[in-house]
Amino acid sequence: MSGETGVLFVCLGNICRSPTADAVFREQVARAGLADRVHIDSCGTAGYHVGEPPDARATAAAARRGYDLSPLRARQFDPADFKRFDYILAMDESNLAHLEARRPADYRGRLDLFLALAPALGRREVPDPYYGGERGFEEVLDLVEGAGEALLAELIGAGRG
Ligand code: 4NP
């Protein structure tokens, strides 16, 4: 954990919620001047969309707020991610259960719901927007912006900034 902190965002398909969290947190970290200190990535527990760019609706909603999802490509969670990331943050309880089942006994990082870092939001899960309408993508952005700020404050407070 010396030097760089690794943060991995995890959802189901890695085309809606976790790439949004990836791009939003990347921007928040860059604005804080910490881009070279935090390694950020995202993945999905499922492999349905491996290699695909993020969902066009997620990309459009994020672009309206100034975030660029276009360089991202979906990948599936790899158990080796437990060696690479200090924070592994799941978007919902189902994603978290998948990760908990694979957690090595010696993993010393934080495996948790992303929104657990931001109790003030009053929510536990980032709802899956895939089968819903535009509003769902705005809600994803609202939640990950709020939780990203809380995570950034934690990293700075922990002296990792
Ligand atoms: P995500 O959304 O987990 O936020 O990327 C989904 C994307 C695809 C599917 C489900 C959720 N799918 O069933 O293909």
Side-chain angles (χ1 to χ4, degrees), residues 47-125:
Y48 316 133
H49 298 281
V50 169
E52 294 178 17
D55 186 286
R57 297 164 297 173
T59 301
R64 288 194 292 270
R65 298 195 194 189
Y67 307 111
D68 183 12
L69 269 57
S70 66
L72 303 175
R73 294 294 177 272
R75 74 167 176 92
Q76 191 167 15
F77 179 76
D78 177 342
D81 288 323
F82 281 111
K83 298 193 196 316
R84 297 193 279 253
F85 293 96
D86 307 293
Y87 288 81
I88 299 180
L89 301 171
M91 297 298 139
D92 64 32
E93 300 277 10
S94 169
N95 310 146
L96 181 61
H98 179 101
L99 298 167
E100 291 281 13
R102 289 158 180 77
R103 176 189 186 133
D106 63 354
Y107 180 63
R108 294 283 170 260
R110 181 162 181 182
L111 172 61
D112 209 339
L113 292 171
F114 185 25
L115 299 191
L117 289 151
L121 295 176
R123 302 278 295 271
R124 286 184 58 76
E125 301 186 304

Side-chain angles (χ1 to χ4, degrees), residues 11-19 48-49 128-131:
C11 63
L12 177 62
N14 192 211
I15 57 168
C16 297
R17 292 165 294 175
S18 64
Y48 316 133
H49 298 281
D128 184 349
Y130 189 66
Y131 293 106

